[in-house]
Amino acid sequence: MSQTYINQLDSHVGEEVILKGWLYNTRSSGKLMFPQLRDGTGICQCVVFKKAVSEELWDSLAALGQESALTITGTVRADERAPGGFELDVTGAEVISAAHDYPITPKEHGTEFLMDHRHLWLRSRRQHAVLKVRHTVVRAVRDFLDNDGFTLADSPIFTPAACEGTTTLFEVNYFDDEKAYLTQSGQLYNEATCAALGKSYCFGPTFRAEKSKTRRHLTEFWMVEPEMAFAHLNDVMDLAERFLSYIASRVLADRQEELKVLERDQAKLEAIVPPFPRLHYDEAAKLLDQGFADGKLENKFVYGGDFGAPDETFISSHYDRPVMVYNYPAAVKAFYMARDPQEPDRALGVDVLAPEGYGEVIGGGERATSLDFLREQIALHELPQEAFEWYLDLRRYGSVPHAGFGMGIERCTAWMCGIEHVRETIPFPRMLNRLKP
Ligand code: 4AD
Ligand code: MG
């Protein structure tokens, strides 16, 4: 008799097998009991005939609480009506660890309660599906970049200075009296590694002391950041378009079961194919003005500013696929952005806005190459010159046009899954009001 996994039952039809897992749910009709076992690969309905097992076994199974750990032995039977397509006719079982009063029951719980029990909530069908999709997003990201000539070069987490503005820095005590900051982005280091490797990327946790309580913000999130030497804004947009299309196609190909559990409208994912519309900031601003005039937007957009979440949602509602907005006013963008020679007050930056209200999933652009210009910008942004001397070396020694972007894994995963909030897309979310469990 062989031990197997629920997602491999199809190759064991008619055989007696052993499954190891946890009791997901159970119901009984006197003569029959239907314990549902989950093992991480799926959920299998098991069928226990009272007459087919010992009284002792029947009683012990009947007394088991949700999430008890057990081994179940039985014969695999194909059944079209069964959730995974197979059922197990039980011949034996062994309790590994009995559980009682599992706090999360099939009834509705509030979000705060579920978040407090995140360590257990992860076992539920929907959370399991979301984590599987996240896994596929991450694999797709790595496969795409690795196959596209990028080399992984990880950037540090302890950093001496800000990358994305000083207002969202987490400060930590380093040794003696030195201060360090948790990285907001590996980009500045990517600029160094791409000069060594041509095309490089970093992929790791990033931190933002965001005081915003929105469905898109975490204080700790995972970002993948590719950077290319000898590249311009258009190259970044081309890359973003191929990158997101590939991720969506992989999720569609590899996560059918999960997308069904999540009731994801798959047509929305199938629409994510090149070309993505490219919209100048001014054109986006015109759309917003029109939206306000038509009463579709509550607040008038202040030209020159950054887009708010409702603005992003409105802009993207015009398209069935991501839209790339470029050439933002330099004043609302980071210090390192290159300027458009045709429009010197504009940054050669792009935000990729996902459809369905998911907002910005990618931010990036072309980097300034001039030593003098960057010195000025560092001073203007009141950043400590000294901490950026190494960065300025990249402009002293072989400065070339280069460009890249960053994508937040959680925002991308929420979008792929079609779920409301990024907090469900990472095993243990960190937010303004949540550091536990
Ligand atoms: O637009 P951002 O701030 O860009 C950068 O950090 C650049 N240095 C990246 C680069 O060019 N290498 O962040 C990039 C992406 C956003 O589009 C979003 O997907 C995600 O990171 N992101 C967040 N995700 C969750 N919670 C937050 N607080 C996030 N802030 C940014
Ligand atoms: Mg951004």
Side-chain angles (χ1 to χ4, degrees), residues 273-292:
V273 285
F276 295 173
R278 300 178 185 199
L279 208 61
H280 187 285
Y281 173 89
D282 289 354
E283 296 173 83
K286 267 188 217 141
L287 273 185
L288 293 174
D289 283 344
Q290 192 59 50
F292 182 68

Side-chain angles (χ1 to χ4, degrees), residues 176-211:
D176 300 324
D177 290 329
E178 207 176 346
K179 294 263 175 271
Y181 306 96
L182 299 183
T183 186
Q184 299 163 306
S185 156
Q187 181 199 315
L188 304 185
Y189 297 95
N190 275 349
E191 293 183 51
T193 59
C194 90
L197 299 159
K199 298 205 278 183
S200 59
Y201 72 102
C202 64
F203 190 0
T206 41
F207 306 85
R208 306 267 171 107
E210 305 260 19
K211 291 245 163 85

Side-chain angles (χ1 to χ4, degrees), residues 374-401:
L374 272 174
R375 271 211 191 105
E376 254 171 54
Q377 290 304 310
I378 288 169
L380 213 70
H381 287 251
E382 296 175 7
L383 296 166
Q385 286 269 0
E386 210 187 88
F388 288 92
E389 280 307 319
W390 70 268
Y391 181 67
L392 295 174
D393 268 354
L394 306 176
R395 274 64 183 179
R396 291 186 183 103
Y397 307 108
S399 185
V400 300

Side-chain angles (χ1 to χ4, degrees), residues 24-315:
Y24 190 68
N25 207 343
T26 193
R27 64 193 168 82
S28 170
S29 70
K31 289 184 189 125
L32 283 169
M33 201 188 315
F34 301 98
Q36 290 185 338
L37 191 79
R38 57 161 202 92
D39 72 349
T41 73
I43 297 174
C44 177
Q45 170 145 299
C46 305
V47 184
V48 192
F49 287 91
K50 193 165 186 178
K51 281 190 190 147
V53 297
S54 71
E55 202 175 318
E56 201 187 347
L57 179 62
W58 175 271
D59 290 344
S60 79
L61 284 178
L64 280 186
Q66 192 184 339
E67 289 304 317
S68 293
L70 69 163
T71 295
I72 294 192
T73 308
T75 310
V76 183
R77 178 166 42 77
D79 186 332
E80 274 178 19
R81 294 159 306 168
F86 303 94
E87 284 189 343
L88 200 73
D89 289 325
V90 177
T91 52
E94 196 180 318
V95 177
I96 298 168
S97 159
H100 300 287
D101 305 320
Y102 185 67
I104 302 176
T105 55
K107 73 164 194 197
E108 289 272 312
H109 294 284
T111 304
E112 281 309 297
F113 177 87
L114 291 169
M115 275 293 163
D116 287 341
H117 293 84
R118 183 67 178 162
H119 49 294
L120 301 176
W121 189 25
L122 293 174
R123 302 179 189 191
S124 74
R125 200 192 293 261
R126 183 180 140 95
Q127 298 307 312
H128 178 272
V130 174
L131 290 189
K132 286 296 216 179
V133 173
R134 178 190 173 100
H135 170 73
T136 295
V137 168
V138 170
R139 272 194 71 170
V141 159
R142 289 199 185 281
D143 286 348
F144 178 90
L145 294 173
D146 295 348
N147 292 331
D148 212 58
F150 286 82
T151 301
L152 176 71
D154 291 314
S155 51
I157 286 173
F158 284 136
T159 59
C163 174
E164 293 297 320
T166 49
T167 55
T168 62
L169 279 177
F170 277 113
E171 194 179 285
V172 289
N173 283 325
Y174 208 55
F175 298 108
D176 300 324
D177 290 329
E178 207 176 346
K179 294 263 175 271
Y181 306 96
L182 299 183
T183 186
Q184 299 163 306
S185 156
Q187 181 199 315
L188 304 185
Y189 297 95
N190 275 349
E191 293 183 51
T193 59
C194 90
L197 299 159
K199 298 205 278 183
S200 59
Y201 72 102
C202 64
F203 190 0
T206 41
F207 306 85
R208 306 267 171 107
E210 305 260 19
K211 291 245 163 85
S212 38
K213 277 201 258 177
T214 78
R215 63 195 191 89
R216 298 174 186 173
H217 287 94
L218 296 167
T219 54
E220 176 180 324
F221 61 97
W222 282 66
M223 181 151 57
V224 56
E225 299 179 80
E227 190 77 20
M228 305 175 282
F230 304 102
H232 299 278
L233 177 63
N234 274 327
D235 300 308
V236 164
M237 295 202 264
D238 292 347
L239 183 72
E241 192 173 77
R242 289 195 297 122
F243 183 69
L244 290 177
S245 310
Y246 179 76
I247 295 171
S249 72
R250 278 288 294 272
V251 168
L252 279 166
D254 297 355
R255 297 271 80 101
Q256 275 301 312
E257 281 299 315
E258 290 77 10
L259 293 176
K260 279 175 201 142
V261 168
L262 295 165
E263 297 174 4
R264 182 65 170 121
D265 178 354
Q266 298 196 25
K268 297 274 200 269
L269 300 182
E270 284 158 6
I272 307 170
V273 285
F276 295 173
R278 300 178 185 199
L279 208 61
H280 187 285
Y281 173 89
D282 289 354
E283 296 173 83
K286 267 188 217 141
L287 273 185
L288 293 174
D289 283 344
Q290 192 59 50
F292 182 68
D294 295 344
K296 289 178 187 156
L297 275 170
E298 211 168 295
N299 296 311
K300 185 164 168 50
F301 176 64
V302 182
Y303 182 81
D306 214 343
F307 304 127
D311 301 326
E312 288 184 355
T313 301
F314 183 75
I315 295 167

